[in-house]
Amino acid sequence: MTTFNRRYHITTFGCQMNKADSERMAGILEDMGFQWSEDPNQADLVLYNTCTIRDNAEQKVYSYLGRQAKRKHEHPELTLVVAGCVAQQEGESLLRRVPELDLVMGPQHANRLQDLLEQVFAGNQIVATEPIHIVEDITKPRRDSTVTAWVNVIYGCNERCTYCVVPNVRGIEQSRTPEAIRAEMVELGQQGFKEVTLLGQNIDAYGRDLPGTTPEGRHLHTLTDLLYYVHDVPGIERLRFATSHPRYFTERLIRACAELPKVCEHFHIPFQSGDNEVLKQMSRGYTQEKYRRIIDTIRRYMPDASISADAIAGFPGETEAQFENTLKLVDDIGFDHLNTAAYSPRPGTPAALWDNQLSEEVKSDRLQRLNHLVAIKAAERSQRYLARIEEVLVEDQNPKDPTQVMGRTRSNRLTFFPGNIAELKGKLVHVKITEFRAFSLTGEVVVRQPVTI
């Protein structure tokens, strides 16, 4: 079947891992001859890369699918694909709910998209959700940016948090080799990319499944070792990594981040709750005291580092006093950014079956109070940038003001300032901060004069 000049559209829900998977699948489709369509209603192949972490994201998928299923009755040549975590979770039951689907494929099968589509084009309806060993990806992603890029370093997750569906839908941890990761980064540097974010659902676990130990008894390959190994890749000016788990976050890793100049001063370390009993019920494997020690250590090595995290309000059985411990943790630490959510029962997770679920009213009230405090603390943290000169990597034009460009500081603060995107995109620019808001900054370019000796 020829696919030349056929059009595709991908809608991505959820986390950075899903965004990275979508880029890889877009690359496969373009290798097959498909061309990108901004409008899903003009596409010949529509793919939804789904997230099941929150119920509202899952329900949105079904809403989108319903519209495309109706369209398929008018245009039977339409190929309809659901990938990602909802696909993995629902499997064949998704076909019973939406029989117009051609392909249901879990996250572990993203690299196999071409093979699976060839089976679809041969007249088959396919479900690909069985666990597999992820082979090294030789496809070239269609990157959404020409400045920053995601690089997967570890797939899956071996944690068993009682609220989380990720291990069920993304499989066991599988680390890529350091050589494969570095080779991908070298190519990115050659293509002009300036910043790489190393990705993993539990990135601190990188290397635990790779062979070898050091004379000291450590795993031969760790995230710390990987940072040292890829730090000198030519052309890459900045390194970030996400998402970290407090259970495995070490002082050795923090020290490496302080020593390596390309590693940005920003850490995303979810804590989920500030109460030890709730953390125990979540099976998180640490206490709020340990979490505080991690943050203290980061600030000892890098006093100005920004800290972001994730938190859940209204976990089953959470008392008002336990929730107030979360508020106290947020108030004491002062996060630069915090992703918050009311607890959402997810299929196949232990906590979803407990009989101590809280009411939607209680969860909503706690989430609002938490968000109010988050905004206050974030604004306090933003204030420190005022009148400072920050290095900003220019990523794009400000979509709301064409006279401005936007980018991020090393500490991951979104920053806007006047400029021509054609001249500045991909450049590291020194910006004097003139305004601050809770989650973004505004400034003006500073031309630094050379020092005469």
Side-chain angles (χ1 to χ4, degrees):
M1 175 179 180
T2 179
T3 56
F4 185 71
N5 281 340
R6 285 170 62 85
R7 295 160 296 178
Y8 77 96
H9 179 89
I10 297 178
T11 298
T12 306
F13 301 87
C15 68
Q16 295 168 327
M17 295 290 289
N18 269 18
K19 293 173 184 176
D21 287 346
S22 289
E23 290 182 347
R24 289 155 58 212
M25 290 189 288
I28 292 171
L29 289 170
E30 296 196 355
D31 284 347
M32 294 176 69
F34 282 86
Q35 297 179 351
W36 169 254
S37 170
E38 289 286 347
D39 184 356
N41 294 317
Q42 298 299 316
D44 305 289
L45 184 150
V46 175
L47 188 154
Y48 295 112
N49 193 11
T50 59
C51 173
T52 188
I53 296 298
R54 304 280 173 247
D55 184 61
N56 58 350
E58 187 173 334
Q59 295 310 312
K60 189 179 291 186
V61 171
Y62 286 116
S63 174
Y64 285 26
L65 270 176
R67 292 195 286 270
Q68 291 300 323
K70 289 181 181 178
R71 181 174 162 237
K72 185 159 185 170
H73 288 289
E74 301 173 3
H75 303 281
E77 73 280 1
L78 171 65
T79 301
L80 198 52
V81 181
V82 174
C85 296
V86 171
Q88 183 69 34
Q89 174 183 285
E90 299 299 322
E92 290 187 13
S93 65
L94 194 53
L95 293 184
R96 291 192 289 272
R97 183 166 178 174
V98 187
E100 294 83 0
L101 279 170
D102 296 287
L103 171 59
V104 175
M105 52 180 286
Q108 298 178 67
H109 294 265
N111 297 355
R112 298 184 58 225
L113 179 59
Q114 180 169 353
D115 293 339
L116 296 173
L117 284 175
E118 287 175 354
Q119 296 179 56
V120 168
F121 297 152
N124 299 301
Q125 192 177 41
I126 302 296
V127 176
T129 55
E130 70 279 3
I132 61 169
H133 176 72
I134 300 173
V135 298
E136 182 56 36
D137 188 5
I138 60 172
T139 61
K140 298 295 183 288
R142 177 190 184 272
R143 306 282 182 180
D144 287 338
S145 169
T146 59
V147 178
T148 65
W150 318 108
V151 172
N152 284 314
V153 303
I154 181 172
Y155 301 99
C157 181
N158 288 357
E159 302 302 307
R160 287 291 170 181
C161 302
T162 56
Y163 57 85
C164 185
V165 74
V166 166
N168 297 337
V169 295
R170 283 197 170 267
I172 62 171
E173 292 168 358
Q174 296 183 53
S175 301
R176 297 176 66 194
T177 66
E179 294 78 14
I181 295 164
R182 183 181 172 92
E184 183 174 350
M185 290 179 60
V186 167
E187 186 167 351
L188 289 170
Q190 292 170 345
Q191 294 171 355
F193 286 86
K194 295 295 190 295
E195 178 180 297
V196 164
T197 299
L198 305 176
L199 282 185
Q201 209 74 48
N202 178 14
I203 198 165
D204 305 355
Y206 173 76
R208 290 195 300 184
D209 57 317
L210 296 177
T213 56
T214 68
E216 299 80 21
R218 286 189 291 102
H219 289 286
L220 185 60
H221 301 287
T222 67
L223 177 60
T224 303
D225 298 302
L226 181 64
L227 290 176
Y228 281 113
Y229 181 65
V230 302
H231 184 266
D232 64 346
V233 169
I236 304 300
E237 302 290 339
R238 288 181 171 184
L239 276 174
R240 304 183 188 274
F241 58 90
T243 294
S244 297
H245 194 300
R247 191 199 295 251
Y248 308 106
F249 209 90
T250 66
E251 183 169 351
R252 181 172 177 260
L253 174 59
I254 296 168
R255 189 166 58 246
C257 294
E259 291 174 357
L260 296 171
K262 290 185 183 180
V263 177
C264 292
E265 298 81 5
H266 169 238
F267 298 88
H268 184 73
I269 317 174
F271 64 88
Q272 305 301 1
S273 172
D275 182 83
N276 286 344
E277 183 57 34
V278 174
L279 288 171
K280 183 177 179 181
Q281 292 299 311
M282 290 178 167
S283 295
R284 289 291 286 171
Y286 56 87
T287 62
Q288 61 93 7
E289 289 86 359
K290 178 178 179 180
Y291 188 87
R292 289 172 184 269
R293 287 195 297 272
I294 291 171
I295 305 305
D296 288 344
T297 305
I298 289 173
R299 289 178 170 163
R300 175 157 50 87
Y301 281 92
M302 289 166 283
D304 199 45
S306 66
I307 311 293
S308 61
D310 302 340
I312 296 171
F315 187 74
E318 180 188 65
T319 67
E320 175 63 23
Q322 289 171 332
F323 173 68
E324 287 176 1
N325 284 337
T326 293
L327 295 179
K328 179 169 172 39
L329 183 73
V330 172
D331 192 38
D332 289 348
I333 288 179
F335 291 92
D336 293 77
H337 185 78
L338 189 63
N339 300 320
T340 63
Y343 170 74
S344 176
R346 307 312 301 134
T349 60
L353 303 177
W354 297 348
D355 58 8
N356 55 352
Q357 307 290 325
L358 302 186
S359 70
E360 293 302 317
E361 291 77 14
V362 168
K363 290 191 288 186
S364 176
D365 172 69
R366 290 181 183 175
L367 182 61
Q368 289 179 28
R369 288 154 60 196
L370 178 58
N371 286 339
H372 178 70
L373 178 60
V374 167
I376 292 173
K377 303 307 289 188
E380 290 177 2
R381 292 289 290 167
S382 269
Q383 188 171 4
R384 75 190 193 275
Y385 293 105
L386 194 61
R388 282 187 3 187
I389 295 175
E390 291 289 315
E391 178 192 85
V392 177
L393 176 60
V394 180
E395 298 179 29
D396 218 329
Q397 189 175 58
N398 181 351
K400 297 182 179 179
D401 184 349
T403 69
Q404 291 185 332
V405 297
M406 63 182 188
R408 294 184 182 273
T409 65
R410 288 177 60 90
S411 57
N412 209 40
R413 265 295 191 273
L414 187 62
T415 305
F416 304 94
F417 59 94
N420 185 330
I421 189 61
E423 297 175 357
L424 295 177
K425 190 168 187 176
K427 300 284 180 60
L428 290 167
V429 181
H430 290 102
V431 178
K432 183 174 182 180
I433 305 304
T434 56
E435 299 177 40
F436 71 91
R437 294 166 294 280
F439 304 109
S440 65
L441 308 168
T442 299
E444 55 191 25
V445 175
V446 175
V447 179
R448 287 191 160 176
Q449 301 299 321
V451 177
T452 303
I453 300 177

